């Protein structure tokens, strides 16, 4: 398999965490790409019309895209891990947690793009503040559920939330998200120490 990759993308990190947990890391070749909200990378677009990472190219040549789809595919290769619980309350809890983590990331990325991708004369501070309000509300929700999150047997829910908190550390240190979120802070400290999380920490290319 081949993965169109960016070392700073939290969505790529989700995929790589799942690859490590399912024993697939050595079966995935990382391909250079330059995903950007404005500048379209033809190397990605050749396999994904959205020209976004992560995009996974299977041995058959078929492409899978969106971290949620790729993570579920990798989890299907080692289903006994239950990264995606099969049914019942555990499944809906994991998927809801994934949606929360992805939503936090969506808001944080848009807030970052407002300053890094949009020309200064077109930036809208009110819009950015509204996005950061979503980030803050998501952090409050994570703090309230932290006692229910696993630190050593994660589902896709914990993986996504952990990648989201790692992204805030990487791109938004000024938010000091740990202040006022003690339960999330304790859980995150243990979770980020998992080998799969340590191996996938974001870095500038």
């Amino acid at each position: 398999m081949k993965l169109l990759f960016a070392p700073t993308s939290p969505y790529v990190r989700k995929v790589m965490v799942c690859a490590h947990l399912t024993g697939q890391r050595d079966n995935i070749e990382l391909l250079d790409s330059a995903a950007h909200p404005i500048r379209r990378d033809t190397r990605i677009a050749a396999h994904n019309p959205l020209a976004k990472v992560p995009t996974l190219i299977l041995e058959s040549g078929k492409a899978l895209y969106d971290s949620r789809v790729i993570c579920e595919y990798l989890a299907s290769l080692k289903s006994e891990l239950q990264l995606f619980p099969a049914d019942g309350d555990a499944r809906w809890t994991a998927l809801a947690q994934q949606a929360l983590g992805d939503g936090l990331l969506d808001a944080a990325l848009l807030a970052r793009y407002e300053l890094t991708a949009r020309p200064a004369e077109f930036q809208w501070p009110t819009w950015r503040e509204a996005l950061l309000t979503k980030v803050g509300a998501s952090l409050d929700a994570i703090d309230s559920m932290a006692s229910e999150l696993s630190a050593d047997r994660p589902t896709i829910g914990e993986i996504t939330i952990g990648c989201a908190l790692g992204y805030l550390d990487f791109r938004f240190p000024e938010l000091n998200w740990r202040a006022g979120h003690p339960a999330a802070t304790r859980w995150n400290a243990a979770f980020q120490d998992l080998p799969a999380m340590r191996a996938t920490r974001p870095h500038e290319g």
Side-chain angles (χ1 to χ4, degrees):
M1 296 179 284
K2 299 178 181 180
L3 184 72
L4 287 150
F5 172 88
T8 60
S9 167
Y11 299 109
V12 168
R13 189 183 190 191
K14 278 179 60 180
V15 168
M16 295 306 296
V17 170
C18 288
H20 279 274
L21 291 173
T22 60
Q24 296 297 316
R25 173 61 189 91
D26 291 342
N27 298 330
I28 298 176
E29 177 186 353
L30 302 181
L31 302 180
D32 269 345
S33 67
H36 190 273
I38 305 299
R39 297 185 295 275
R40 187 172 175 86
D41 187 334
T42 57
R43 293 171 296 182
I44 310 172
H47 301 280
N48 177 351
L50 302 174
K52 296 171 68 175
V53 294
T55 295
L56 183 70
I57 305 166
L58 305 181
E59 292 183 46
S60 66
K62 181 180 180 63
L64 301 179
Y65 35 87
D66 187 285
S67 64
R68 291 166 291 189
V69 174
I70 299 172
C71 288
E72 189 155 7
Y73 173 77
L74 294 175
S76 75
L77 303 178
K78 197 168 184 180
S79 58
E80 65 269 22
L81 283 178
Q82 290 290 294
L83 297 184
F84 286 80
D87 51 35
D89 185 63
R91 176 171 177 78
W92 304 119
T93 296
L95 294 181
Q97 290 169 351
Q98 178 179 218
L100 176 62
D102 279 341
L104 190 164
L105 284 172
D106 290 344
L109 280 164
L110 287 173
R112 174 172 164 76
Y113 289 154
E114 188 68 20
L115 299 184
T116 61
R118 194 183 298 276
E121 64 270 26
F122 297 124
Q123 290 173 12
W124 188 8
T126 303
W127 165 247
R128 188 171 188 273
E129 285 304 312
L131 292 167
L132 293 178
T133 295
K134 292 184 179 184
V135 170
S138 299
L139 288 168
D140 292 344
I142 293 167
D143 196 62
S144 70
M145 68 175 64
S147 64
E148 304 165 15
L149 299 176
S150 173
D152 56 359
R153 295 183 62 82
T155 68
I156 193 61
E158 284 98 359
I159 292 167
T160 308
I161 288 172
C163 289
L165 296 179
Y167 184 75
L168 293 184
D169 285 339
F170 181 56
R171 290 299 196 196
F172 291 86
E174 72 279 6
L175 291 183
N176 189 24
W177 68 263
R178 289 170 177 80
H181 302 103
T185 297
R186 288 190 296 273
W187 172 79
N188 184 65
F191 191 74
Q192 297 294 335
D193 200 42
L194 291 179
M197 295 299 287
R198 291 200 308 270
T200 58
R201 283 176 181 151
H203 60 277
E204 298 289 355

